[in-house]
Amino acid sequence: MASPRVLSGIQPTADSFHLGNYLGAVRQYVALQEGYDAFYCVVDLHAITVDYQPEALRRRSRIAAAQLFAAGLDPERSTVFVQSHVREHTELAWVLMCLTGMGEAGRMTQFKDKSAKYGESSAGVGLFTYPILQAADILLYGANKVPVGADQKQHLELTRDLAQRFNHRFGETFTLPEPYIVKGVEKITDLQEPTAKMSKSSSSPAGILDLLEQPGPLRKKVMRAVTDTGTEIAFDEENKPGIANLLRILSALTATPIPDLETRYAGQGYGTFKKDVAEAVVETFAPIRERTEKLLADEDELDRLLAAGATRARAVAAETMEKVRDRAGFLPTP
Ligand code: AQP
C-alpha cells in the first residue's frame, strides 16, 4: 500500500525562518519523511498577499528552500518545490473560490488579524482569499495530513469543508486532510511579548530567534527575553508566559519533559536556565545555518533541486486538475 501523503507550505516572507517556524513546522516536516510521501512547498503566491518587493521575494524563496534542505529534507525522499512553479495551484483556487461563501471566508481570523495590521481598506483581496489558495495547495496533492501550527487549524477546517462540498456536488474527488499539530510547540511566543506568537512579520528583532542568525545575537536575545517577577522556574502559562515559553523551547530542543526541567532548575534562578536555553538554540541552529549558506552559494544546484521537485509536484497536480476540470463541467483542453 502507498504511504499516506503529507503536505505543508511555508512562506518566503523573511530572510530567515524563526524558531516558531522551525519547531512548529520544519522539524516536523523532516520527521514526517519517515512513513509519509511528503510534499513541501515554498508558498511564494501566499507571500504576495501582503506588500513585498520582487527582488526580495526571489531571494527569500531560494533562502526558504535552502533552509528546508539544510534542516534535513532529503530531495530524494521529499518533494520540495516552489508553489508558483505549479500553475494548477491558482487554477484550483479559482474553482474553490467559486464554492466559498463570503461569510465563510470572512470568518477567518488570520485575515482579520493581518488586515487590521495593514488597515482593512488597504488589505488586498488576495489576503482575503489566502485560505482558499491554501485549500488548493492541500487538495491538489490529496494530502492526508497537514503539519501546521495551531494558528492554521481554522484554515484546515475550511479546506475540509470545501473538499466535502466539491465531492458532494461533483462526485468524490478530494481526500479530506487532517491537521497534524505537535503538542507543546503549537505556539512559540515572542521573546519580548510572550503572549503573542513569534512571527516573521510582526515580531520585533529582539523578540524573534532567526534560524540563520549568528550565535552571539541569539544568546543575547535569549538572555534578554522578558521574564516575570519572581525567581521560580515553573510552567505557568497565565502568570509566567515568558518562562513558560522558554521552558517549551528548551523541552522541545532537548527532548526533555517540562516537569523534568522544572525539577532540574528548582532553586537556580533565571540566569543559568536562560543560558541553557540559549545554548540549546545555538547548537540546533548553527549546523542548519552553515548548510544553508553552502546551499545558497551554489544557486544553480539549488534551482536544479527545485526544478526536480516541481516536475514531481506537477505530475500529481496535473492529474488532480484534470479530474476537477472534467467534474466541474469544463470542456476537455484542446
Ligand atoms: N510562533 C509559532 N509557533 C509555532 N508554529 C509557528 N508557525 C509560524 N509561527 C509559529 C508555523 O510555521 C509554519 C509556516 O508559517 P508561514 O510561513 O506560512 O507563516 P505564518 O504562520 O504566518 O508564520 P509567520 O512567522 O507569522 O509569518 P508571516 O509573518 O509571514 O505571516 C506554519 O505551519 C505555522 O503554523
Side-chain angles (χ1 to χ4, degrees):
M1 215 178 81
S3 308
R5 185 163 288 160
V6 71
L7 175 130
S8 192
I10 191 155
Q11 295 191 84
T13 35
D15 285 316
S16 173
F17 293 149
H18 56 71
L19 182 65
N21 299 138
Y22 177 71
L23 290 177
V26 178
R27 197 169 74 159
Q28 266 56 258
Y29 295 1
V30 177
L32 288 166
Q33 291 184 115
E34 299 295 336
Y36 284 90
D37 178 17
F39 281 66
Y40 299 117
C41 65
V42 173
V43 290
D44 52 350
L45 297 170
H46 285 280
I48 68 167
T49 56
V50 292
D51 191 30
Y52 78 101
Q53 297 299 326
E55 260 327 301
L57 180 64
R58 241 187 300 277
R59 181 182 72 243
R60 290 170 171 181
S61 294
R62 287 205 178 90
I63 295 177
Q67 287 174 103
L68 292 177
F69 292 124
L73 289 186
D74 172 0
E76 297 294 323
R77 283 196 291 169
S78 295
T79 302
V80 180
F81 65 103
V82 175
Q83 186 187 28
S84 65
H85 286 168
V86 184
R87 312 269 194 251
E88 283 80 358
H89 288 251
T90 41
E91 193 181 357
L92 180 57
W94 177 256
V95 174
L96 296 176
M97 265 183 245
C98 297
L99 288 177
T100 312
M102 284 295 285
E104 193 175 27
R107 281 194 291 277
M108 298 294 119
T109 53
Q110 191 187 61
F111 171 72
K112 287 189 197 154
D113 294 348
K114 289 200 176 178
S115 61
K117 198 178 134 205
Y118 293 96
E120 181 101 36
S121 56
S122 60
V125 174
L127 190 62
F128 186 68
T129 56
Y130 180 114
I132 307 168
L133 178 59
Q134 197 174 346
D137 302 339
I138 297 165
L139 299 178
L140 267 182
Y141 299 94
N144 307 94
K145 290 240 182 295
V146 182
V148 285
D151 56 320
Q152 294 291 332
K153 214 170 152 210
Q154 196 189 27
H155 290 178
L156 210 65
E157 268 152 30
L158 176 71
T159 303
R160 288 171 59 88
D161 289 345
L162 291 175
Q164 259 168 329
R165 200 167 303 158
F166 187 98
N167 289 351
H168 185 69
R169 246 182 103 175
F170 302 116
E172 213 46 46
T173 307
F174 294 123
T175 305
L176 261 52
E178 302 278 346
Y180 178 88
I181 298 177
V182 180
K183 283 251 167 303
V185 291
E186 56 271 66
K187 188 175 168 193
I188 299 298
T189 59
D190 185 305
L191 298 184
Q192 291 301 316
E193 217 185 307
T195 49
K197 170 186 157 186
M198 185 180 286
S199 156
K200 295 189 221 82
S201 55
S202 47
S203 289
S204 69
I208 193 168
L209 294 171
D210 278 333
L211 195 53
L212 301 182
E213 207 157 13
Q214 295 293 332
L218 285 174
R219 288 196 182 97
K220 216 177 263 170
K221 287 184 193 183
V222 175
M223 296 311 290
R224 290 184 186 161
V226 165
T227 41
D228 332 270
T229 47
T231 51
E232 208 196 337
I233 313 238
F235 191 83
D236 179 348
E237 192 74 74
E238 204 160 305
N239 301 307
K240 290 162 127 351
I243 289 293
N245 193 39
L246 294 178
L247 275 168
R248 233 185 338 255
I249 293 170
L250 189 57
S251 164
L253 291 177
T254 60
T256 314
I258 288 179
D260 293 7
L261 293 175
E262 288 174 321
T263 312
R264 184 187 303 167
Y265 292 100
Q268 291 213 41
Y270 292 162
T272 323
F273 170 61
K274 281 179 155 179
K275 219 179 257 169
D276 290 352
V277 175
E279 281 325 301
V281 170
V282 167
E283 261 172 47
T284 308
F285 283 12
I288 300 177
R289 173 175 47 80
E290 284 158 20
R291 283 195 292 271
T292 304
E293 284 164 359
K294 251 190 221 143
L295 282 155
L296 288 171
D298 188 353
E299 219 166 74
D300 290 346
E301 170 62 6
L302 185 59
D303 288 353
R304 200 190 56 73
L305 290 175
L306 291 174
T311 303
R312 282 185 2 221
R314 256 185 237 126
V316 180
E319 202 177 305
T320 307
M321 218 33 234
E322 203 51 44
K323 266 191 232 157
V324 170
R325 276 191 216 109
D326 178 52
R327 296 194 180 153
F330 297 117
L331 289 174
T333 314

